[in-house]
C-alpha cells in the first residue's frame, strides 16, 4: 500500500517565480492538508482540501493557492516567490475532514528560493 | 489561542538511558494529541496518538505517552533509547469540534541526540 507521495523532491526557484507542488494521498484517503516547515520550526498549516474545495486556511497570503482533483490528489501553487518561502512543504492525507483522524505525511518537497 | 509548547529544544541522552520529552498544550476543547518523529530530510512519521480513553498510550518503536489533563501535558517516554532514535520529535494537537477540519498545530520540536 503506497503511502503519501510528493513531487518533486527538491526545487530551486528565484524570487518572483511561480511553483507548483504535487501530492498523492494514501490509498483510501479523501482529504489533503498542506503544511509549511521552515528550518528549525514545526510545520504550519497552510490549507486543507476535501471534495475538491478548500475547507480551512491557515495564516498564509493569497499567493498560496491549491487545488484538489477528482482522484483526491492535490497541488499547491505559490506565486511571486519570496526568499521567506524557502521551506519544506509537507502534504498530509486523512480519511474524513473535520473528524478526529490521523494525518499521514509524505516525505515533503524542499523548496529553495534564491 | 491553541498552542503547543515543547520546552526542550535539544536533549542529549546516552544509549540505553531512559527518555522523556515534554509537551504542553493550550486548547479549549477535548484535545486530540499526537507525537510525530522526523529524521533529517524526511517527512513526519506518526509515533502515537491520543483521542480518548486510557490516558497512557503505546506507540511504535517502544514509545509511550501519558495524557494528563490537569497539567495540560502529553509527555513522550521511552525506557531505553537506541542510537536510531536520534531525530526531531514533534508534539501536535488536532483541532476538533464542529466546523473544524482537524488541522494540526505543532510545537517547535525537540532534537534528540543519542550518545554512544
Amino acid at each position: 500500500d503506497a503511502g503519501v507521495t510528493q513531487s518533486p523532491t527538491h526545487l530551486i526557484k528565484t524570487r518572483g517565480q511561480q511553483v507548483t507542488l504535487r501530492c498523492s494521498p494514501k490509498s483510501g484517503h479523501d482529504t489533503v492538508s498542506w503544511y509549511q516547515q521552515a528550518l528549525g520550526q514545526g510545520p504550519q498549516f497552510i490549507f486543507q482540501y476535501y471534495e475538491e474545495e478548500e475547507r480551512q486556511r491557515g495564516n498564509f497570503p493569497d499567493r498560496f493557492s491549491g487545488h484538489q482533483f477528482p482522484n483526491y490528489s492535490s497541488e499547491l501553487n505559490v506565486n511571486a516567490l519570496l526568499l521567506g518561502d524557502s521551506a519544506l512543504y509537507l502534504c498530509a492525507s486523512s480519511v474524513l475532514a473535520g473528524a478526529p483522524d490521523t494525518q499521514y505525511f509524505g516525505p515533503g518537497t524542499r523548496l529553495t528560493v534564491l | 489561542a491553541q498552542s503547543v509548547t515543547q520546552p526542550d529544544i535539544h536533549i542529549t541522552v546516552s544509549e540505553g538511558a531512559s527518555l522523556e520529552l515534554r509537551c504542553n498544550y493550550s486548547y479549549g476543547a477535548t484535545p486530540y494529541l499526537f507525537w510525530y518523529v522526523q529524521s533529517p530530510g524526511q517527512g513526519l512519521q506518526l509515533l502515537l496518538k491520543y483521542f480518548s480513553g486510557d490516558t497512557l498510550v503505546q506507540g511504535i518503536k517502544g514509545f509511550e505517552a501519558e495524557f494528563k489533563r490537569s497539567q495540560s501535558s502529553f509527555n513522550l517516554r521511552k525506557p531505553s533509547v537506541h542510537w536510531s532514535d536520534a531525530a526531531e520529535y514533534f508534539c501536535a494537537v488536532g483541532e476538533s469540534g464542529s466546523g473544524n477540519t482537524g488541522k494540526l498545530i505543532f510545537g517547535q520540536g525537540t532534537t534528540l541526540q543519542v550518545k554512544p
Side-chain angles (χ1 to χ4, degrees), chain A residues 4 9 13 19-20 43 47 49 52 57 68 70 88 90 102 106:
Chain A
V4 179
T9 305
K13 293 287 188 179
V19 68
T20 298
F47 42 52
Y49 277 84
E52 302 180 47
R57 188 178 187 90
Q68 186 179 36
L88 181 68
L90 296 164
T102 301

Side-chain angles (χ1 to χ4, degrees), chain B residues 103-116:
Chain B
K103 81 176 190 185
L104 297 176
I105 301 165
F106 286 87
Q108 193 167 1
T110 297
T111 301
L112 173 64
Q113 184 179 1
V114 181
K115 293 190 302 184

Side-chain angles (χ1 to χ4, degrees), chain A residues 31 33 35 37 40-45 48 55-58 88 90 94 96-108 110, chain B residues 9 32 34 36 38 40-46 49 51 88 90 94-109:
Chain A
T31 302
S33 301
Y35 293 82
Q37 185 180 17
Q41 303 294 318
Q44 289 198 314
F45 177 78
Q48 183 182 89
R55 295 193 72 248
Q56 189 178 10
R57 188 178 187 90
L88 181 68
L90 296 164
S94 52
L96 181 60
D101 187 35
T102 301
Q103 295 188 23
Y104 293 88
F105 285 81
R110 172 73 62 185
Chain B
I9 296 175
Y32 298 102
F34 305 83
Y36 286 88
Q38 185 177 38
Q42 302 297 312
L44 302 175
Q45 180 184 22
L46 178 71
K49 61 187 178 184
F51 284 177
E88 186 88 14
F90 292 96
E95 287 193 338
S96 62
S98 176
N100 287 314
T101 61
K103 81 176 190 185
L104 297 176
I105 301 165
F106 286 87
Q108 193 167 1

Side-chain angles (χ1 to χ4, degrees), chain B residues 66-87:
Chain B
E66 186 171 13
F67 169 58
K68 293 185 177 180
R69 185 184 299 274
S70 62
Q71 299 178 18
S72 298
S73 68
F74 188 56
N75 294 347
L76 181 72
R77 301 192 294 249
K78 186 170 185 177
S80 178
V81 170
H82 188 263
W83 63 267
S84 61
D85 293 324

Side-chain angles (χ1 to χ4, degrees), chain A residues 6-13 19-21 87-89 107-112, chain B residues 40-42:
Chain A
Q6 293 186 242
S7 64
T9 305
H10 294 88
L11 208 49
I12 299 175
K13 293 287 188 179
V19 68
T20 298
L21 311 181
L88 181 68
Y89 287 85
T109 294
R110 172 73 62 185
L111 172 64
T112 301
Chain B
Q42 302 297 312

